[in-house]
Amino acid sequence: MINFDLAALRTLVAIADQETFARAGDAVHRTQAAVSQQMRRLEDQLGLTLFERSGRTKELTPSGRKLVDYGRRMLALQEETLAALHAVSSSGPVRLGSPADIADTVLPEMLRQFARANPALSLVIHVGRSPDLMELLKKGAVDLTISTRLDDSRPHFLLRSSPIVWIAANDFRVEPGKPLPLVLADEPSIFRKIALDALERIGQPWHERYTAPGLAGIRAAVAAGLGITARSIEALTPDLRVVGDADGLPPLGSIRYYLYQRDDAVPEAAKNLYRLMAARG
């Protein structure tokens, strides 16, 4: 009898979603070599070929695509089971902080399974910037928060790692030899710092075409063709595209999102939700 390794299935699904072993490794917090080894073990266990080479990349075989579909269902069932076993108390709302790019992309799917198994789950979402959210946590204004800031002094775990990319309007073209028009968040912003540091390393001239305090304004300015920005891949919308190496732009690495728990008088419902999200990761 074959016992499926759920961690391997999670990696397989990540490969299907991220399209490369390297980006999948970032998503599941493993090296590319560890991802390759994990997939070889899964193929050996099943006696099936899950990937086939296509040029310089690997693509899923029909068996691989079928396993991805079943893997998604098995992982969803695991999350639903965990949520049901650790039913969140209805003693009061859980106050959760989240950056905007996570709040409208990753967070809804992350919470969907928990909410379905816990009809009493009551959430109040505070959307803001990572440093501001950490201040809210410190003051006790939120029970949990997602943040890009690393603070080892309070309970936390790595929730997600996402590629940072250059984002532009679909019809925007980078003009070689000219200063790069940028759409940036005002200070303090980790994406602003990462973008400017990367351009400085390659000596690329730039000018700040538009400054916005939040993601909505940044997206609107980029979609209007005012310039490009650097954000996590979650910030992409259908009217935007990724630009990069072909346009002479430097790589930006990835961003890590941590989930923090308030370390004083945390409601039981918040503790349960924290444990559930930790188990999911």
Side-chain angles (χ1 to χ4, degrees):
M1 178 183 293
I2 295 175
N3 294 313
F4 279 105
D5 180 350
L6 291 180
L9 290 179
R10 192 179 299 280
T11 299
L12 179 67
V13 169
I15 294 170
D17 291 340
Q18 302 292 334
E19 298 182 343
T20 71
F21 279 40
R23 289 201 296 265
D26 286 339
V28 298
H29 324 308
R30 294 175 182 269
T31 65
Q32 183 174 347
V35 167
S36 297
Q37 186 178 42
Q38 201 177 29
M39 292 302 98
R40 284 196 296 270
R41 285 200 303 266
L42 186 59
E43 288 182 322
D44 290 343
Q45 180 186 33
L46 296 172
L48 294 170
T49 300
L50 301 178
F51 299 92
E52 57 189 358
R53 186 161 293 280
S54 176
R56 299 178 62 184
T57 63
K58 288 185 176 181
E59 294 185 354
L60 287 162
T61 63
S63 294
R65 289 192 294 272
K66 185 177 293 186
L67 184 58
V68 167
D69 291 339
Y70 279 102
R72 291 188 195 279
R73 290 154 63 181
M74 292 168 71
L75 292 169
L77 181 59
Q78 179 203 35
E79 292 168 10
E80 187 175 340
T81 302
L82 287 170
L85 291 173
H86 297 277
V88 176
S89 166
S90 61
S91 59
V94 176
R95 300 168 302 169
L96 174 65
S98 175
D101 47 353
I102 289 291
D104 64 359
T105 54
V106 176
L107 194 58
E109 177 60 26
M110 193 177 289
L111 295 174
R112 182 177 63 85
Q113 296 292 334
F114 305 150
R116 188 168 70 182
N118 294 272
L121 175 63
S122 177
L123 280 172
V124 177
I125 308 293
H126 296 262
V127 177
R129 291 183 170 187
S130 283
D132 298 333
L133 293 170
M134 294 301 286
E135 282 301 312
L136 291 177
L137 189 75
K138 189 183 301 182
K139 294 174 181 175
V142 294
D143 305 307
L144 309 170
T145 194
I146 300 169
S147 174
T148 58
R149 298 305 193 261
L150 179 58
D151 180 357
D152 286 325
S153 68
R154 60 188 68 250
H156 70 280
F157 65 88
L158 180 60
L159 180 68
R160 182 183 180 88
S161 178
S162 295
I164 306 173
V165 293
W166 294 105
I167 297 176
N170 284 329
D171 58 354
F172 184 88
R173 294 292 176 266
V174 175
E175 299 184 53
K178 292 188 177 182
L180 193 65
L182 298 180
V183 176
L184 298 170
D186 54 8
E187 295 283 10
S189 166
I190 191 169
F191 291 108
R192 178 189 182 96
K193 183 179 188 309
I194 289 171
L196 298 185
D197 286 352
L199 294 176
E200 184 178 342
R201 282 197 301 272
I202 66 168
Q204 167 66 48
W206 57 271
H207 67 97
E208 195 164 348
R209 181 78 186 278
Y210 187 87
T211 305
L215 182 59
I218 289 171
R219 274 179 173 155
V222 172
L226 298 185
I228 72 170
T229 195
R231 301 295 298 197
S232 65
I233 194 74
E234 286 81 17
L236 271 178
T237 55
D239 55 343
L240 304 176
R241 69 184 181 94
V242 173
V243 292
D245 183 63
D247 300 285
L249 297 176
L252 296 170
S254 60
I255 188 82
R256 291 187 168 194
Y257 294 96
Y258 301 92
L259 181 68
Y260 289 90
Q261 177 180 283
R262 207 175 90 216
D263 50 10
D264 62 320
V266 183
E268 194 62 31
K271 291 180 182 178
N272 284 337
L273 184 56
Y274 181 86
R275 285 194 291 264
L276 288 170
M277 294 175 81
R280 182 190 188 278

